[in-house]
Amino acid sequence: MPELIINGPGGRLEARYHHEANSDSPIALILHPHPQLGGTMNNQVVYTLYHTFAARGFSVLRFNFRGVGRSQGVWDSGPGELADAASALDWLQLVKPDAKTCWIAGVSFGTWIAMQLLMRRPEIDGFICVAPLANLYDFNFLAPCPSSGLLVNGELDRVVPTSAVAEMSVKTKVQRGIKMTHEVVPGANHFFENKTEELGEVVGKYLDERMIQFEQDRERNKERERERERERQRQRELERMEAQSAPAASTGGDDEGDDE
């Protein structure tokens, strides 16, 4: 879990990174809760997500938003934090340019930033939103949501009622084939106190299912591309054979008679 400093738009950003040796390992970026309410990259839910992704072979990055911990800068009410997240994703993609899939995850306030980043970065294939502030922040910018993902909240969350998250999962416009899945962790509050293990199980199960589907889709796409290449080769061979069998073009005309 190397400590590192990333150059962000508002100064240096303190981060932690888990690296997988495989060049095409999937990548995930984790965003922490509200900086002005004690949220940091060491939040227990962030830590749970970090290790849930790492356990499944992801290269994972978490970092402190500007003004938190050793990160430079000051709170910017959202735009600056979004710029921080974009810079962190840039760094992660620079380290892992051949990653086969890219995910983003957020906790509470971090979900609002995560989903804004999702709309700006088409390479993000999936998301995990834990305790999204569906009743406190406007998520209407998801019009439509471009990637499938998971919304998770606690049954006893007094900050964000389950009904608000359920409504978000149903009413958010999505692209064709995209699905928002909503799960509730029994007995958990907004901070998942004493329930992080259960949260990890819910998120892990979802990731396992999505990664299996991803690999199946990847193999189907590869097979379709192989078939297209075989068809191109057949077409080239057919054109070559037709060119070889075509009669030679006539190069001369009728002989002219001799002058008398």
Side-chain angles (χ1 to χ4, degrees), residues 4-15 63-73 84:
L4 63 119
I5 297 295
I6 296 172
N7 290 323
R12 295 190 300 272
L13 298 173
E14 180 185 13
F63 73 97
N64 279 329
F65 286 123
R66 57 182 62 196
V68 178
R70 295 167 55 199
S71 291
Q72 295 179 326
D84 293 342

Side-chain angles (χ1 to χ4, degrees), residues 76-255:
D76 194 41
S77 301
E81 288 70 29
L82 176 58
D84 293 342
S87 293
L89 184 57
D90 288 343
W91 182 92
L92 188 53
Q93 292 178 314
L94 185 63
V95 173
K96 282 288 183 178
D98 299 322
K100 58 187 176 183
T101 184
C102 175
W103 283 64
I104 187 136
V107 181
S108 193
F109 166 81
T111 66
W112 186 56
I113 301 298
M115 298 305 273
Q116 291 181 69
L117 187 61
L118 173 72
M119 293 299 293
R120 289 162 171 78
R121 303 293 284 264
E123 68 270 27
I124 298 176
D125 300 304
F127 64 86
I128 305 291
C129 286
V130 178
L133 300 175
N135 60 332
L136 300 176
Y137 283 92
D138 183 5
F139 284 86
N140 287 331
F141 56 82
L142 295 169
C145 181
S147 300
S148 296
L150 173 67
L151 307 177
V152 190
N153 71 286
E155 177 189 26
L156 305 181
D157 191 333
R158 295 183 179 180
V159 178
V160 185
T162 294
S163 58
V165 182
E167 184 177 3
M168 177 182 171
S169 70
V170 172
K171 291 190 174 181
T172 298
K173 295 179 181 179
V174 297
Q175 292 182 7
R176 183 177 180 180
I178 299 302
K179 180 181 179 182
M180 276 194 174
T181 301
H182 178 213
E183 296 287 351
V184 179
V185 176
N189 60 19
H190 187 70
F191 308 99
F192 289 84
E193 292 174 317
N194 301 316
K195 292 293 180 179
T196 54
E197 183 176 343
E198 290 84 346
L199 173 64
E201 291 174 356
V202 169
V203 173
K205 180 181 178 182
Y206 180 80
L207 285 175
D208 290 341
E209 292 172 352
R210 282 292 304 277
M211 293 307 291
I212 290 173
Q213 185 63 51
F214 172 80
E215 291 298 338
Q216 291 174 343
D217 292 344
R218 193 183 188 196
E219 285 304 313
R220 280 195 292 268
N221 290 336
K222 286 182 178 179
E223 181 54 38
R224 282 195 289 266
E225 182 54 37
R226 286 192 290 264
E227 180 56 36
R228 285 193 288 266
E229 180 56 30
R230 287 193 289 266
E231 181 58 32
R232 287 191 289 265
Q233 290 178 349
R234 286 193 291 267
Q235 185 62 32
R236 288 193 293 267
E237 181 64 19
L238 180 61
E239 291 172 354
R240 185 185 66 80
M241 294 175 63
E242 288 177 346
Q244 290 178 342
S245 61
S250 176
T251 58
D254 295 333
D255 292 336

